[in-house]
Amino acid sequence: MRARDVDATWRTQISGYPRALDASADGRWLALGLDDGHVQLVRAGTGELDQSLKVHGDALTALSWNPRLPLLASAGEDGAVKLCDMASGTTEEVVPPGDTWAQHVAWNPKGSKLASSVGRRARIHALDGRGHQELPEVESTVAGLAWAPDGQTLGAACYGGVRLFEPKSGRRTRKLDWKGSMLNVAWSPNGKVVACGCQDNSVHFWRLATGRDSMMSGYPQKPSTIAWSHDSALLATGGGMQITVWQFDGKGPEGTMPLVLEAHRTPVTHLCFSPLVKVLASGDRTGEILVWFPDETTTPVRRHRLPARIEALTWALDPDDAQLRLVACDAEGHVAAWSLQA
Amino acid sequence: MSSTNENLKIPVTVLTGFLGSGKTTLLNRILTENHGQRIAVIENEFGEIGVDQDLVINADEEIFEMNNGCICCTVRGDLIRVLGNLMKRRDKFDRVLVETTGLADPGPVAQTFFMDEDIKADFRLDGIITLVDAKHLSLHIDEAAEAKEQVAFADILVLNKTDLVSPAEVDALERQLRGMNALARIRRAQMANVPLAEVLDVGGFDLARALEHKPTFLEPEYPFEWGGIYALPSQATLTLHEGPDPSLSLVALPVDDATEATLAKAAERAFRVFAREGQPVTPGGRVIAGEGQYTLDLAGAGPKRFTMEAPHEGLYALFTEHLPEEFEATLTGPQGQLLPLAAQAYAEGHTHDETVTSVGLSFDRAVDPERFNAWMSGVLRKQGADIFRMKGIVAMNDDDRRFVFQGVHMLVDGLPDRPWGNTPRSSQVVFIGRNLDREALTRGFEACLA
């Protein structure tokens, strides 16, 4: 079976190096965070640029839409964490600028609390941006933040594993230890497993019920991108040109062979599972984007292309036509959307 | 670190040195004098720098060891993170400077550029510059292992603040540094005023440029530390004071002129004379120039005088076992004090009590690739933790190209370079490390010769 190339629904180009991309919960908006501190708001249906806001004094590092409200959280190399209310056009500074970069923002699943990190310090902010809970510092700069699906726990990945915090008191409740440097963190949608890509070319995960942890090694490069399928059955991991997919729905993945998706010709930079169906999108260093149905076949079903290195991928469901769209942006600011149904 | 796009990669210069050695001064000079380049500075400690067009990033020094505990897998997490983000900008930087803390171990910094694929793809480590405070070097060297490691890792050693010590002390410091790190280029400076062209674009980790600057280990090691050419009258007085040794061996040989080349040739002759037993002389005794080796007895307090006679008035090269200033030596003729017309200090043998040393091995032969690889991997496996830097260029007996390689701890990178052509084949390796066994390394390397 040959991967089909389908025309993009729309293509556009923005001026800047996109650092972050996120789709709003209602599927209408895409926010792009740029290297000059701007946030650009693009209509998900047409690719039209709606507005451009200068939010940070230096490069933007992360963006997260509130899951219920038109509220966009952002972090920047100016050290600040900000909240932009897109309805009123007002911006709230929840962490002031400083010497250390702010690098991560993540809303809890209900959208009632925002987690952010600046260096080794993570904080949990109230929805209105006023008042926050400071968490104890972790061992190194926070490499990633992930909320448990029930919103009762926040995980911060760092050198030495993942540290779990109780958001109300800010107390550290658990340490998921592994001697190594975590690159990212992803909580399975069923809440049972916390997984990380590690600097030493391996993937590590912990089963929270038993505390049992496992290491999956043998990656030719570090797995700097990992993604769970919506049903928690599959964990897709990058780390070279191959995509390794660990199956959690059977006895495994320990002691089983993973699915290996091979078609990229340069290392994979980004992986993203659709939030509704088991469809995986992957992007690589030269701008190739592949779409996979890993349950059905290990060959890609779609092949798309942007001119430069893929920086981010996201899925957006358009409320008007109920179309699931894949959106990608590359290092030169090219942005495009493809409809899955086409 | 040897891909085809090496020149497109952004060069990274690492500045190390103890607190007060002048790192910030040099950094500021690079930022202010190097106009037209966009420079990003990564700092681990607070420094007084601030140049508008450049970017200064504060990062905690985050040393990441991997689970296997292997020293070569230790990398700098903060560098990976910061450099990774620096690439994600529309206006790229022309150069990155990493200023380390005074106590930083340069090993993980260097290894980051070997170990991390993303960093390797976009950056090349150009060189490690270590600033050394001439006034306080011995203090630092004796007190902290880190100071020795910073000297051992350097591509360029800037011996700074030379205005605060005597010229003789600077010479002695330079020889001490040379004994520890035979690969580095040493530059003397005051207020870190070293020419920028000598510290930027060094190519210290560039295989194609490896050994372009011949390391000093290839200079022969002599049984004497100093030589100088004098115009000797028929009789002169040599005065010496108490020094580090109760005796001093000395040779004077007639020469035709006072050039450096002549002095170098005379040194070869003196080498053979020194191999013979010296004739003992007590204070008040006679030393005849051109007549073999003398061992001056310097026991006891106070100045000692010897008569130096030249059979024919004229030029003589005088070689001494130790530096003349160590004994406050003076040579006085009928017209007053005699000064050398040319002089050269030679690397001390390996008598200096340093745990960090360089071992340079050189043979005019090709090696057997299989035996050589087996030996090299064995050495690195067993002693990699103690080997800071290593460079080599060898002739393989099954390949007409030079094979160049270099390493940091256990990590080695190598590739075939240009053909030998008509140049005679030779094989050279330099190790810089702690507790190196020169004899065992020599025997091991010899056993690989084809």
Side-chain angles (χ1 to χ4, degrees), chain A residues 19 77 141 222 285 311, chain B residues 62 88-89 116 118:
Chain A
R19 293 286 196 88
E77 289 180 8
T141 298
K222 59 184 182 183
R285 277 198 193 156
E311 288 299 326
Chain B
E62 295 184 346
K88 294 176 188 266
R89 284 179 183 261
D116 192 281
D118 292 345

Side-chain angles (χ1 to χ4, degrees), chain B residues 28 60 77 104 107 115 132 190-191 224 262 265 286 295 312 338 350 353 370 390 400 422 442:
Chain B
N28 275 323
D60 280 345
M115 292 293 294
V132 173
Q190 298 165 10
M191 301 291 288
F224 41 86
T262 299
K265 266 188 234 155
R286 280 195 322 164
T295 301
H312 308 283
L338 300 173
H350 291 270
D353 180 29
E370 235 166 82
M390 185 258 293
D400 59 2
N422 293 329
T442 309

